[in-house]
């Protein structure tokens, strides 16, 4: 299990002060936000209860194009151009119109952080926050600041980002815990060794409302089981799957996975990644949405720092941007809810259908388009209009 890195003893000094932007959470979404602020001139502080890159919580795979567009190709471990899908009755290869890569989490975070310019990082556990309308009396704060309470002291900023995960720590609303929360659950092991294929099991032997996977990553294989129903435990089926593929269950890691969008703003706070439900239902792919929405949020905040909009405008624009994705997210949620009813001949028919190149490419191109990788590329500058030529100028 990962060791908590919250500072202790002589290292646990008070942490207080004011920044222009305070980003709570130093994984995919939080670092993507910080990356977009690197040339803004803002004072940016990123805090997390763990060191950057310390605590991997997923199989760590994403479309190769996304990683390259963000300059993270140095973290790639293995790349795949097809998906091998198993049902109890058959196995089929689904050709992908784009490649998918597993990566080294620590290295990816290191590469992302290296692109964050002068942003600062410190370790602290976030406990909550105070409304912007009540925080101006805090030391060093200005009217409109939000105060974030940590185990090392209070921090103030005009722009606050919650990238802390599904618990949505900076929300002022009552927390909804599993199994009542709209969460899936997953468990994964990392046995050593190599493998050649990206594999999925749609097999009730392991789990009915969910799926199982094997993601090779050069010198280890990331094998796990995910359930769309948080009440369904996944440890025993994970152990069974690992045994069935001839591996040993080394390196357990588990996590709760959101599968419904939530409000991306609340009371002056911006939410991104799992805290906003930015995880695609059915596939439980959360890394691409986290990097995508983190990038777009960072651009909104950079516009605030530059004076091109104020915080209220950024809250409204970012809230709309996230909400505009509700339809495809809800469509995938509908597919997720139907999976438990599709096992048997219907599922086998669909598995065969997706082995056809035209069908698979059509479906996966649309799927990639929900959070397109090219959205993280730098926005091209607007060309200055050419001056009009004087009337009567020679041709």
């Amino acid at each position: 299990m990962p060791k908590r890195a919250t500072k202790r003893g002589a290292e646990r000094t008070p942490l207080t002060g004011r920044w222009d932007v305070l980003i709570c959470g130093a994984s995919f979404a939080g670092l993507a936000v910080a990356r977009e602020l690197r040339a803004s001139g803002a004072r940016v502080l990123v805090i997390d209860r763990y060191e950057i890159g310390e605590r991997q919580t997923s199989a760590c795979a994403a479309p190769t194009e996304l990683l390259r567009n963000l300059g993270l190709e140095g973290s790639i471990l293995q790349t795949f151009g097809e998906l091998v899908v198993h049902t109890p009755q058959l196995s089929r290869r689904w050709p992908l119109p784009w490649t998918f890569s597993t990566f080294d989490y620590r290295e990816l975070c290191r590469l992302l952080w290296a692109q964050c310019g002068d942003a600062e990082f410190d370790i602290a556990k976030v406990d909550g926050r105070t409304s912007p309308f009540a925080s101006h009396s805090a030391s060093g704060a200005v009217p409109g600041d939000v105060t974030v309470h940590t185990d090392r002291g209070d921090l103030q900023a005009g722009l606050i980002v919650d990238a802390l995960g599904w618990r949505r720590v900076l929300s002022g609303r009552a927390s909804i815990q599993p199994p009542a929360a709209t969460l899936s659950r997953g468990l994964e092991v990392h046995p050593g060794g190599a493998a050649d294929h990206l594999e999925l099991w749609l097999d009730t032997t392991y789990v009915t409302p969910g799926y199982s996977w094997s993601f090779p990553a050069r010198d280890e294989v990331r094998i796990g089981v995910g359930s769309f129903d948080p009440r369904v435990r996944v440890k025993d089926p994970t152990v069974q799957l690992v045994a069935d593929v001839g591996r040993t269950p080394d390196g357990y890691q588990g996590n709760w996975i959101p599968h419904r969008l939530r409000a991306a703003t609340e009371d002056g706070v911006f939410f991104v990644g799992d805290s906003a439900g930015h995880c695609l239902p059915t596939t439980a792919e959360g890394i691409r949405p986290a990097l995508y929405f983190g990038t777009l949020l960072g651009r909104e905040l950079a516009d605030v720092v530059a004076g091109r909009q104020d915080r209220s405008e950024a809250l409204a624009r970012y809230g709309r941007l996230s909400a505009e994705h509700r339809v495809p997210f809800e469509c995938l949620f509908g597919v997720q809810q139907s999976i438990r009813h599709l096992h048997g001949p219907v599922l086998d028919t669909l598995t065969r259908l997706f082995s056809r190149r035209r069908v698979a490419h059509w479906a996966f191109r649309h799927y990639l388009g929900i959070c397109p990788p090219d959205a993280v590329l730098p926005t091209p500058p607007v060309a200055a209009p050419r001056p009009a030529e004087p009337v009567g100028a020679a041709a």
Side-chain angles (χ1 to χ4, degrees):
M1 296 298 291
K3 179 182 177 182
R4 181 178 173 183
T6 298
K7 291 184 175 179
R8 300 182 184 279
E11 291 186 334
R12 197 177 184 279
T13 56
L15 179 62
T16 59
R18 184 186 187 278
W19 281 262
D20 298 317
V21 185
L22 175 60
I23 301 170
C24 303
S27 191
F28 306 110
L31 294 178
V33 175
R35 177 182 182 270
E36 291 302 308
L37 293 165
R38 62 191 180 277
S40 67
R43 291 190 66 225
V44 178
L45 175 65
V46 181
I47 59 173
D48 198 288
R49 66 188 298 182
Y50 297 99
E51 290 283 1
I52 293 175
E54 180 187 358
R55 187 170 178 262
Q56 178 177 330
T57 58
S58 76
C60 288
T64 311
E65 180 186 359
L66 176 70
L67 300 176
R68 288 176 176 160
N69 288 351
L70 288 167
L72 306 175
E73 60 269 28
S75 67
I76 292 174
L77 297 173
Q78 204 163 338
T79 299
F80 309 89
E82 64 180 12
L83 183 62
V84 179
V85 179
H86 309 280
T87 75
Q89 303 301 321
L90 54 84
S91 296
R92 288 292 185 274
R93 296 175 184 269
W94 291 3
L96 300 175
W98 35 269
T99 60
F100 204 68
S101 293
T102 51
F103 58 83
D104 181 283
Y105 176 70
R106 186 180 294 272
E107 179 63 11
L108 181 138
C109 290
R110 186 192 70 79
L111 291 170
L112 259 183
W113 180 244
Q115 298 180 47
C116 291
D118 294 328
E120 301 173 61
F121 172 77
D122 215 324
I123 294 174
K125 177 181 174 293
V126 176
D127 295 321
R129 51 94 176 172
T130 301
S131 164
F133 307 108
S135 65
H136 60 272
S137 61
S139 176
V142 300
D145 274 1
V146 177
T147 295
V148 171
H149 310 295
T150 80
D151 63 347
R152 295 177 57 201
D154 289 350
L155 305 169
Q156 290 82 37
L159 299 171
I160 301 285
V161 176
D162 182 329
L164 292 166
W166 65 269
R167 288 182 178 84
R168 201 174 167 93
V169 176
L170 296 184
S171 173
R173 300 171 186 170
S175 176
I176 303 175
Q177 300 295 319
T182 53
L183 298 168
S184 301
R185 67 189 304 166
L187 183 67
E188 185 176 84
V189 295
H190 292 179
D196 297 325
H197 304 297
L198 196 68
E199 298 180 82
L200 291 182
W201 284 263
L202 304 175
D203 190 338
T204 55
T205 301
Y206 307 114
V207 63
T208 298
Y211 67 94
S212 310
W213 64 87
S214 174
F215 283 19
R218 189 183 295 167
D219 55 359
E220 69 176 15
V221 185
R222 299 161 182 173
I223 300 171
V225 176
S227 170
F228 301 140
D229 186 339
R231 296 166 295 185
V232 175
R233 298 183 179 275
V234 292
K235 182 175 181 179
D236 289 344
T238 300
V239 172
Q240 181 62 52
L241 174 59
V242 173
D244 289 347
V245 298
R247 305 277 179 173
T248 56
D250 300 325
Y252 283 92
Q253 67 177 31
N255 201 20
W256 295 102
I257 308 162
H259 55 233
R260 301 295 290 276
L261 276 181
R262 305 177 70 178
T265 62
E266 179 190 320
D267 198 19
V269 177
F270 299 85
F271 295 84
V272 67
D274 283 1
S275 70
H278 291 153
C279 184
L280 295 170
T282 303
T283 61
E285 186 188 358
I287 296 169
R288 173 163 57 105
L291 293 169
Y292 168 84
F293 284 105
T295 297
L296 299 185
L297 172 56
R299 291 173 183 171
E300 295 294 336
L301 300 186
D303 282 347
V304 176
V305 173
R308 292 187 287 268
Q309 64 178 343
D310 61 27
R311 183 177 67 183
S312 62
E313 291 171 322
L315 286 163
R317 281 171 53 88
Y318 175 66
R320 286 195 302 269
L321 183 151
S322 181
E324 286 169 358
H325 293 73
R326 187 167 299 279
V327 170
F329 270 66
E330 285 299 299
C331 288
L332 286 174
F333 179 71
V335 173
Q336 172 177 306
Q337 293 300 98
S338 69
I339 281 179
R340 71 180 72 201
H341 306 296
L342 294 179
H343 292 283
V346 174
L347 182 59
D348 290 344
T349 298
L350 290 172
T351 302
R352 292 189 187 97
L353 182 64
F354 272 78
S355 67
R356 298 179 182 177
R357 183 181 182 86
R358 179 178 296 180
V359 173
H361 279 211
W362 178 87
F364 280 105
R365 284 195 185 104
H366 280 78
Y367 171 73
L368 189 69
I370 297 173
C371 298
D374 59 1
V376 306
L377 291 170
T379 303
V382 178
R386 294 178 60 185
E389 294 186 3
V391 177

